[in-house]
Amino acid sequence: MKRKVLLAVVVIASLSLLANAGSISGKVSGVSGESVVYVDAIAGKTFPAPAQQSVMDQKGLMFQPHILVVQQGATVQFLNSDSVAHNVFWISIGGNKKLGHNLGTWPQGEKRPFKFDNPGAVSLLCNVHPEMSGYVVVTPTPYFAKTDKSGEYKIENVPDGSYSVTAWHEGAKNQSKPVTVAGDSKTDFTLSK
Ligand SMILES: [Cu+2]
């Protein structure tokens, strides 16, 4: 009997903790393959740069993963796992050509870091292999998710509140929608080129 009471107390305490954070989930359609959905910048809120570094690999003559999502301020390690030299450059970040950059060209086993302080999509290219293409999507908040291949996504642990949420897909126009999170909320997007 005591155990049941204790269990009930634990369950109620857990529910009250969860009451202030929810999730945003839904589907991105109109495009095929992976998209990225993220909460836009929140007025008056800043987020510390994530301590964890992500890796964008160049392997099998491809950027892997094809799409890497990181929070603004994150450092990405660009690794070359191939036996040939690769280059990494981009002509803009979030469409801003002043943020174009060439990281250089380096051989197998080496990596170079870059800290992404500006939000936006970064189209990665390699000037040794013009067919190579990848993306880093830099989000202004830690609330982001990549969809699965069918377009389904879920952003976890979003504090209750009202936000603008944006869906991004390679080659498509971004779509933004207002979303109010109070527990679990749903938002779908339909993108077009
Ligand atoms: Cu290359």
Side-chain angles (χ1 to χ4, degrees):
M1 189 62 198
K2 269 186 177 171
R3 282 180 71 137
K4 276 188 180 164
V5 171
L6 183 63
L7 183 66
V9 169
V10 168
V11 167
I12 290 164
S14 306
L15 286 174
S16 63
L17 276 176
L18 288 170
N20 293 324
S23 66
I24 307 170
S25 63
K27 185 165 182 159
V28 179
S29 47
V31 288
S32 65
E34 293 173 335
S35 302
V36 176
V37 182
Y38 58 88
V39 173
D40 292 325
I42 303 164
K45 268 215 154 185
T46 54
F47 298 95
Q52 205 186 332
Q53 298 192 345
S54 301
V55 175
M56 173 57 85
D57 200 0
Q58 287 173 291
K59 194 173 184 181
L61 299 179
M62 291 194 291
F63 284 102
Q64 297 200 37
H66 182 61
I67 300 166
L68 175 68
V69 194
V70 298
Q71 188 197 317
Q72 187 174 356
T75 296
V76 174
Q77 293 286 350
F78 288 89
L79 173 67
N80 180 358
S81 290
D82 279 338
S83 57
V84 294
H86 285 297
N87 162 268
V88 178
F89 78 99
W90 53 88
I91 60 162
S92 64
I93 296 179
N96 183 350
K97 292 200 170 170
K98 284 182 186 155
L99 300 174
H101 189 69
N102 191 331
L103 268 184
T105 302
W106 59 98
Q108 185 172 35
E110 289 184 17
K111 58 189 177 187
R112 289 189 186 178
F114 188 85
K115 188 170 184 288
F116 287 97
D117 284 324
N118 296 90
V122 188
S123 172
L124 304 175
L125 296 164
C126 166
N127 64 20
V128 184
H129 307 100
E131 71 280 13
M132 288 180 70
S133 162
Y135 292 88
V136 176
V137 178
V138 185
T139 63
T141 66
Y143 313 121
F144 59 80
K146 193 151 77 166
T147 72
D148 63 18
K149 290 203 166 118
S150 71
E152 303 275 356
Y153 76 92
K154 185 169 191 181
I155 308 172
E156 307 266 15
N157 297 317
V158 183
D160 286 357
S162 293
Y163 307 104
S164 170
V165 179
T166 295
W168 173 92
H169 187 92
E170 171 178 2
K173 288 193 199 88
N174 284 1
Q175 186 177 38
S176 299
K177 288 189 167 184
V179 176
T180 296
V181 176
D184 294 326
S185 51
K186 296 243 170 219
T187 302
D188 295 331
F189 296 88
T190 305
L191 301 184
S192 58
K193 301 266 166 182

